[in-house]
Amino acid sequence: MSDGKVYPVKEAAKSRALVDKEQYMAMYKESVENPNAFWGEHGKRLDWIKPYTTVKNSSYDRNNLSIKWFEDGTLNASANCLDRHLAERGDQTAIIFEGDDPDNSRHITYRELHQETCKFANVLKTQGVKKGDIVTIYMPMIVETAVAMLACARIGAMHSVVFGGFSPEALAARVKDGGAKWVITADQGLRGGRPVPLKKNVDAALRHDDVTTVEKVIVVQHTAGDIDWHEGRDVWFHELMADASTECEPVEMNAEDPLFMLYTSGSTGTPKGVLHTTGGYMVYASMTHEYVFDYQQGDIYWCTADFGWITGHSYILYGPLANGATTVLFEGVPNYPDSSRIGKVVDKHKINVLYTAPTAIRALMAEGDQYMKQSTRESLRLLGTVGEPINPEAWEWYYNVVGDQRCPVVDTWWQTETGGILISPLPGATDLKPGSATLPFFGVQPALVDGDGNVLEGATEGNLVILDSWPGQMRTVYGDHERFILTYFSTYPGTYFTGDGARRDEDGYYWITGRVDDVLNVSGHRMGTAEIESALVAHPLVAEAAVVGYPHDIKGQGIYVYVTLNHDADPSDELKTELVQWVRKEIGPVASPDLIQWAPSLPKTRSGKIMRRILRKIAANEHDSLGDTSTLADPSVVEDLIEFRENT
Ligand code: ATP
Ligand code: MG
C-alpha cells in the first residue's frame, strides 16, 4: 500500500466547507480534551423536549461498564427528522425515490413524509404497538420503509430492520432473537427487474416452530404480485392507512431510550444485535453527515446503501433528515438495466454527493469506463465509500472516472456498532491518500495496541481500539449484555476493541489493514489482507481478489489467493505465474502467493463484503465446518469454489 500519492485539499472544497485544516485540528483538540463542553455545544443541533444538563457519562472498565450521553435530556427522533423542518422547509423534497425501473421516480416533501409518518404511527398504535416494543421491518427500498422506521421512532418503538435480501431462515432467526410481535413487509420487492418474494419469505419464516411471537403482519402493496393471505394475522398497510389521522404527538423519549436494534453484517461470525439509543446516536449521525459530506442546504445527497444496514439507518434516513437534507432512496441495483445506471441517476436528479461501497466500485470498474462515460456526472462534488478497505486502484478509478478528478473521495471507516463514521477525511480539511481512511472525527480517539494491549506510538501497525466513548456508540448487544462486554471491552481492557487491524503512517493517517482475525503470519511476518489484495487488484486483468492464510508446513501459514478476473481475461497458468511475480514486485517476496485459485466470484455478505472466514475454510479443505453461512449473498459461490479447490 503506497503512501506515495497525496491529493491536497481542493480549493473548491475548502472554500465551501464548514472547516479547514486548522479548524479541524482546533475542534478535534477541544473535542478530546473537553468532551463535555464540546458535545454539550454540538448536542444543541437537535431539538430537545427537555434539554440535557449532563453530557458524557462513560466508563470502559469492563467490571463497571457504562455508556451514557445526554442522559437527562428528552427528545423524539422523528420530530427531529420531520416536525422541526415543517415551518421552514415543509415543501422541500425530503426523499427522492428512484425506483428499480428507471422510469419510476417521485419526490416526497417534508410535509408529506410527516403526514405519512403520523398516519402510520397511529396505525401502529391501533395494532397495539407501544413504547419499548420491537417491530421487525422486512422491506424493499421504498418510501414506506422510511415511513415505517420513522413511525416506530415517533411512538418510541424499536425497529429492527432485516435486509430484504435475507432468506426466510435468516429472517426467522432475527425475528426470534428480538421477539417481535409485528412484522412489516411488502407483497414483493423489485431488484434488477425481478420480483423478490418478501411476503412469501415472511410466511416461511413464521412457519418455523420456534418463531412464536408474531401476531400481526402488515403488508405494503408494492408490485400487486400474488401472495398467500393469513386471515387474522395479515393486514394491508393501505387499508389501515386509509382513515388514519395525520396527527400524532411524538412520544417524549429519554436520550438513553432505545431507538433501534440492528444486526451486523456477519462477516466474521454470527451477527450481533446492536442496540442504539436516541440522543447520542442522533447527535452523532447528524453531525457526521453534515461535516463528512459537507452537507449544505439545497444539496442532493445519495447514499446507495440499503435500510437493512447501519449505513442506510445513519446516512440515508436519520442523519440526512435530521439535517433537513434531500436524500435519495434507490430501490434498484447498480447494474440494472445496465452498468451505466449509477451515472444516469446522478444526472437525472443532479446529485451532488454520492456515497457507495468498494464492492460496487470494483464491479463497475471491471465493466470498463464506457458505462460510466454515458453520463456527465457534472453535478457531483463529493464521493464517499464505506464497508471494506478500498484498494488504491479502485479509489483512483472512483476519483478519476466517476468524479472526473474534481471530487474529493471520503473513505469512511466505521461499524454498525459505532453508529456513525469514526475515521474519515473532511473534504475541506484533509489531504487525501488513496486507500487511507485518514484521520479521526471529532471526539474519536483511535489507538493501535500490540497483542498484549500496549499502546503503540508513532508510525506503526497494530490492533485498532478506541480509547474513549463517543455519542453514537452502541449501548449493548440486544438481550446479551455479557456478549457486549466480552466482544468489545475484554480483549484490551479499558478500550473499545474494533476487531480491525490498522497501520498509522508518519502523518498520523490510519490505513485499515483488514480484520484482525484475517491477519496472516507467514514465516513470522504479520501481514494484513488488504495490502496483498490491493496489489493484485492493481493488475490490469484482476477485478477482485481475496487473500487468506492456510496451514503450511514450513512457513506456518501460506498465502492462498482467490482471484476474479476481468470479463475479457483468460485464466491461464502463465497468468498465475505472472501474478505471483507481480505481487513479489509490488510488495516483496514475503507476500508472494503460494496458491492461486481462480474464483468466478467471491463469497460475500449480503452487504457486499468478502467473507474471508469461509475462504479460509475452503483453503484449508475444511468444507464441513464453514460456520454461519446464513448471511451469505449467494451460497452457490461457495460450492463452485469448493469444486474448483478440488481441481486446484
Ligand atoms: P460482523 O461484525 O457481523 O462480522 P461486519 O463487521 O462486516 O460483520 P459491519 O458493521 O457492517 O459488519 O461492518 C463494519 C466493518 O466493515 C468494519 O469493522 C471494517 O472491517 C469494515 N469497514 C467498514 N468501512 C470501512 C472502510 N472505510 N475501510 C476499511 N474497512 C471498513
Ligand atoms: Mg464487525
Side-chain angles (χ1 to χ4, degrees):
M1 225 178 280
S2 67
D3 306 4
K5 262 198 168 148
V6 180
Y7 292 80
V9 174
K10 289 183 185 295
E11 266 322 306
K14 189 167 147 190
S15 61
R16 60 161 269 155
L18 282 164
V19 290
D20 62 16
K21 200 173 294 179
E22 285 66 42
Q23 286 162 317
Y24 161 72
M25 277 160 42
M27 278 174 76
Y28 180 76
K29 188 162 182 282
E30 157 87 1
S31 72
V32 299
E33 286 176 359
N34 200 346
N36 283 309
F38 183 88
W39 291 111
E41 187 54 36
H42 289 284
K44 293 183 196 152
R45 59 186 300 114
L46 298 183
D47 279 3
W48 296 82
I49 299 170
K50 179 168 149 305
Y52 47 85
T53 64
T54 69
V55 179
K56 178 172 182 283
N57 177 4
S58 68
S59 156
Y60 276 3
D61 172 1
R62 59 171 294 184
N63 298 314
N64 186 23
L65 190 77
S66 156
I67 301 167
K68 292 187 175 132
W69 286 85
F70 313 107
E71 63 189 296
D72 64 347
T74 65
L75 75 168
N76 181 280
S78 100
N80 272 282
C81 290
L82 301 169
D83 307 47
R84 67 168 173 157
H85 303 312
L86 294 182
E88 223 181 291
R89 52 180 93 90
D91 297 321
Q92 183 204 301
T93 300
I95 294 178
I96 299 177
F97 172 72
E98 168 73 17
D100 185 57
D101 172 352
D103 293 328
N104 176 19
S105 60
R106 67 189 172 104
H107 287 232
I108 295 89
T109 65
Y110 271 95
R111 198 176 319 285
E112 288 165 337
L113 189 60
H114 175 258
Q115 279 189 0
E116 292 299 291
T117 299
C118 288
K119 281 168 77 175
F120 193 57
N122 284 323
V123 165
L124 288 175
K125 284 196 261 182
T126 62
Q127 296 301 308
V129 183
K130 292 184 305 299
K131 181 176 171 179
D133 286 338
I134 294 185
V135 177
T136 296
I137 297 180
Y138 181 69
M139 291 276 278
M141 286 299 287
I142 57 177
V143 176
E144 287 84 349
T145 314
V147 167
M149 293 166 76
L150 291 166
C152 286
R154 194 161 192 90
I155 62 170
M158 249 189 279
H159 52 72
S160 167
V161 182
V162 178
F163 174 53
F166 272 133
S167 65
E169 287 64 40
L171 172 63
R174 286 162 181 72
V175 172
K176 182 177 165 235
D177 186 49
K181 289 195 219 161
W182 303 268
V183 176
I184 304 170
T185 191
D187 49 2
Q188 295 179 324
L190 263 187
R191 271 168 85 82
R194 281 195 297 271
V196 182
L198 295 173
K199 172 63 165 61
K200 194 172 164 207
N201 289 348
V202 170
D203 293 343
L206 299 192
R207 273 197 296 273
H208 281 238
D209 288 341
D210 51 355
V211 181
T212 54
T213 50
V214 176
E215 292 168 7
K216 290 281 174 203
V217 176
I218 302 176
V219 187
V220 173
Q221 191 168 51
H222 181 48
T223 62
D226 248 356
I227 54 170
D228 289 342
W229 199 256
H230 294 242
E231 240 12 278
R233 186 196 73 185
D234 298 348
V235 278
W236 282 114
F237 177 91
H238 60 269
E239 288 181 0
L240 297 170
M241 288 288 270
D243 42 31
S245 157
T246 55
E247 289 193 12
C248 176
E249 263 315 289
V251 168
E252 181 171 1
M253 302 291 283
N254 185 272
E256 284 300 331
D257 283 338
L259 179 59
F260 64 84
M261 62 179 291
L262 176 68
Y263 294 88
T264 58
S265 294
S267 307
T268 58
T270 313
K272 299 163 278 269
V274 168
L275 186 121
H276 282 288
T277 56
T278 308
Y281 171 82
M282 289 298 292
V283 168
Y284 199 75
S286 72
M287 184 156 171
T288 45
H289 174 260
E290 182 176 10
Y291 280 80
V292 174
F293 302 107
D294 186 25
Y295 188 85
Q296 295 181 24
Q297 285 315 308
D299 287 348
I300 314 284
Y301 162 91
W302 181 20
C303 166
T304 68
D306 192 282
F307 282 137
W309 316 120
I310 189 69
T311 311
H313 284 60
S314 302
Y315 298 116
I316 299 179
L317 196 72
Y318 288 115
L321 294 184
N323 291 339
T326 298
T327 182
V328 176
L329 203 174
F330 180 44
E331 182 185 19
V333 293
N335 59 357
Y336 176 81
D338 64 38
S339 297
S340 67
R341 183 73 187 272
I342 296 263
K344 286 183 175 161
V345 173
V346 167
D347 282 1
K348 177 176 174 185
H349 300 298
K350 307 215 166 19
I351 286 163
N352 308 114
V353 179
L354 173 66
Y355 188 29
T356 190
T359 181
I361 298 167
R362 288 191 300 256
L364 294 174
M365 185 167 86
E367 296 287 330
D369 299 1
Q370 70 271 20
Y371 287 103
M372 213 27 88
K373 295 273 160 71
Q374 291 178 32
S375 50
T376 73
R377 286 156 282 101
E378 60 193 8
S379 55
L380 284 179
R381 114 183 123 64
L382 183 71
L383 300 170
T385 156
V386 60
E388 286 180 291
I390 181 162
N391 323 106
E393 187 77 3
W395 193 105
E396 295 273 356
W397 185 82
Y398 199 28
Y399 178 82
N400 288 314
V401 179
V402 180
D404 275 324
Q405 307 186 333
R406 186 182 62 248
C407 311
V409 174
V410 291
D411 175 359
T412 64
W413 175 84
W414 60 297
Q415 312 178 298
T416 310
E417 295 90 333
T418 68
I421 295 163
L422 293 199
I423 303 182
S424 169
L426 301 184
T430 318
D431 299 332
L432 307 173
K433 299 184 188 182
S436 171
T438 76
L439 299 170
F441 192 73
F442 306 125
V444 175
Q445 299 183 56
L448 299 178
V449 298
D450 66 16
D452 300 324
N454 303 304
V455 173
L456 307 167
E457 303 294 337
T460 185
E461 188 165 341
N463 305 304
L464 179 62
V465 300
I466 313 290
L467 298 178
D468 202 353
S469 185
W470 65 97
Q473 180 163 31
M474 75 184 280
R475 302 300 197 257
T476 190
V477 171
Y478 182 77
D480 196 350
H481 198 63
E482 209 34 53
R483 186 172 180 201
F484 179 56
I485 297 171
L486 255 168
T487 310
Y488 306 103
F489 300 97
S490 302
T491 319
Y492 303 111
T495 74
Y496 167 81
F497 177 43
T498 66
D500 288 346
R503 187 163 64 81
R504 187 174 50 223
D505 69 17
E506 314 69 45
D507 298 322
Y509 275 40
Y510 287 87
W511 303 70
I512 309 299
T513 51
R515 316 291 177 138
V516 169
D517 295 350
D518 292 336
V519 167
L520 310 173
N521 193 334
V522 181
S523 310
H525 299 277
R526 289 171 62 78
M527 278 179 284
T529 49
E531 188 172 20
I532 308 175
E533 288 164 7
S534 290
L536 286 156
V537 173
H539 188 281
L541 297 180
V542 174
E544 224 168 10
V547 169
V548 296
Y550 74 106
H552 189 288
D553 290 345
I554 298 153
K555 303 182 182 178
Q557 261 187 333
I559 298 179
Y560 197 109
V561 177
Y562 297 83
V563 173
T564 306
L565 294 174
N566 285 344
H567 299 314
D568 46 0
D570 174 32
S572 63
D573 283 347
E574 292 73 53
L575 183 53
K576 280 192 183 173
T577 314
E578 185 183 322
L579 289 177
V580 173
Q581 291 309 322
W582 176 269
V583 175
R584 289 176 76 94
K585 183 171 106 318
E586 294 276 303
I587 308 177
V590 316
S592 79
D594 295 286
L595 278 169
I596 295 183
Q597 175 174 336
W598 302 127
S601 40
L602 295 169
K604 291 188 179 168
T605 61
R606 290 278 175 174
S607 56
K609 298 165 201 252
I610 298 170
M611 281 165 97
R612 291 181 194 74
R613 64 180 164 89
I614 288 185
L615 293 172
R616 214 163 30 233
K617 292 285 185 186
I618 297 174
N621 268 322
E622 293 169 9
H623 308 160
D624 306 330
S625 56
L626 295 178
D628 185 343
T629 52
S630 67
T631 56
L632 207 55
D634 178 4
S636 72
V637 169
V638 173
E639 284 143 38
D640 287 352
L641 287 177
I642 291 175
E643 203 183 306
F644 268 67
R645 169 75 174 111
E646 272 148 16
N647 305 325
T648 296

